[in-house]
Amino acid sequence: MALVRSLIAKPWIWSFLGALLVWLATIAFTGGYGAGGMITAALSLAVFTVIVGIGQMFVITLGPGNVDLSLPANIGLASAVAMKVMDGNDSMIVVGLLAALACGAAIGAVNYLLIWALRIPPIIATLSASFIIQSIDISYGRGLQIKPPPGFADFANWQVLGIPVLAILTVLFTIGAAIALQRMIYGRSVLAIGQNIRAAWLAGVNVGRIRFLTYTLSGALGGIDGALLAGYFRGANVDIGNEYLLASIAVVVIGGTSVAGGKANVPGVWGAALFLVLLLTMLNTFGVSAGVRLLLTGLIIVGVITAAGGQKAVR
């Protein structure tokens, strides 16, 4: 009983319970058909949301108003850059991934420079940046028909005993992110800034540098996500990142990270990503329209924010 109470006290457990309930409802509707395949598919698709969700989580943890709205455009441009650099050649896979990573990191760095130089809210700076990135992406990637190298496409879809390899690697990455958040100076500085930016500054935290690194990290993760998506879906597309604007924020909020800043929850990002993917699968199985799916997702996010409304970070 003590173990059960301890688990219930963890905010991330609720997202996993939600995912489990949605999965059970779906297999009950289908009579158990495709239960295992549904888990495999959920893990495969959740990976991409988790990667950008971790970056968004660090940004949101910086405090109220901090959010990266340029991620969808970032993902689209990075996917085109990666595919063009790889040019269908297996020997260029690493170079293409580095190019996508550098492209995303540059976008994240520019996002913060806009915030710092123009003294405008992050939501405005990153949204404005996304329009510029989209324009570049359209001129650079429109009509791009380059397929990923066969080895890269196979890797992005590789499974071991029904478990996607990308999911295994992403779990290892999230463990590293959790360690960085709780044990490293950088992660503790992010939490301190989110709890009280002035107190963090007085304590010797280089606020500007930490915020710069955080937005750059978010951009870099968006870039690598774009390359992996292009490999998984076997081609780049200017719209390939569109769904990750809402999803990257949703998994952070549903996963237990405080929108007031100063409190992050890494395991919850995984639970929330699985929950959203399985929810979409369930609604598709039930024949629900796209509009209703978006409405339900929005209502879930509002409900979680409302439920967590009493938990304010100390200012």
Side-chain angles (χ1 to χ4, degrees):
M1 290 300 294
L3 177 61
V4 173
R5 286 195 296 270
S6 176
L7 284 174
I8 291 176
K10 304 291 186 182
W12 53 264
I13 197 66
W14 297 104
S15 58
F16 283 98
L17 287 174
L20 176 62
L21 290 175
V22 169
W23 178 69
L24 291 174
T26 307
I27 61 175
F29 182 80
T30 62
Y33 178 76
M38 195 183 308
I39 294 294
T40 299
L43 285 170
S44 298
L45 295 173
V47 161
F48 306 110
T49 308
V50 169
I51 292 173
V52 292
I54 292 295
Q56 191 76 272
M57 180 199 72
F58 274 93
V59 171
I60 290 175
T61 303
L62 286 172
N66 284 284
V67 66
D68 186 355
L69 299 185
S70 69
L71 280 171
N74 180 352
I75 291 170
L77 179 58
S79 70
V81 169
M83 293 302 97
K84 208 158 188 177
V85 172
M86 292 180 189
D87 197 25
N89 190 340
D90 280 334
S91 65
M92 295 296 290
I93 291 176
V94 174
V95 179
L97 288 174
L98 290 175
L101 189 67
C103 175
I107 290 171
V110 170
N111 279 337
Y112 179 70
L113 291 176
L114 286 174
I115 297 167
W116 172 77
L118 302 180
R119 297 293 190 268
I120 57 178
I123 192 171
I124 302 299
T126 57
L127 182 61
S128 301
S130 72
F131 294 134
I132 299 171
I133 299 164
Q134 283 176 344
S135 299
I136 297 172
D137 190 14
I138 289 171
S139 61
Y140 180 80
R142 179 70 71 186
L144 188 66
Q145 299 297 325
I146 302 175
K147 293 183 178 180
F152 184 55
D154 291 342
F155 168 75
N157 290 272
W158 186 21
Q159 297 178 7
V160 176
L161 300 177
I163 302 176
V165 171
L166 276 183
I168 297 172
L169 294 175
T170 305
V171 167
L172 295 176
F173 165 70
T174 51
I175 292 173
I179 293 172
L181 187 68
Q182 300 295 335
R183 303 294 181 184
M184 295 178 64
I185 294 175
Y186 165 71
R188 291 181 175 180
S189 297
V190 170
L191 293 171
I193 291 170
Q195 290 164 9
N196 191 311
I197 189 170
R198 179 167 175 78
W201 178 74
L202 291 172
V205 175
N206 190 326
V207 174
R209 183 174 66 182
I210 295 299
R211 294 184 72 198
F212 173 79
L213 290 173
T214 303
Y215 276 92
T216 302
L217 172 65
S218 178
L221 292 177
I224 200 68
D225 204 51
L228 293 173
L229 277 166
Y232 183 80
F233 290 110
R234 300 182 185 274
N237 188 309
V238 294
D239 299 323
I240 200 169
N242 283 359
E243 68 180 86
Y244 294 98
L245 175 59
L246 176 61
S248 68
I249 299 172
V251 294
V252 174
V253 176
I254 296 172
T257 293
S258 172
V259 293
K263 178 184 176 184
N265 200 310
V266 177
V269 174
W270 258 111
L274 289 170
F275 170 72
L276 289 179
V277 172
L278 288 168
L279 177 65
L280 178 61
T281 303
M282 182 187 74
L283 295 176
N284 283 334
T285 303
F286 292 172
V288 176
S289 66
V292 175
R293 292 198 301 267
L294 289 172
L295 175 63
L296 287 175
T297 304
L299 289 174
I300 289 169
I301 296 172
V302 171
V304 172
I305 294 175
T306 302
Q311 299 178 6
K312 304 291 186 182
V314 178
R315 295 288 155 200

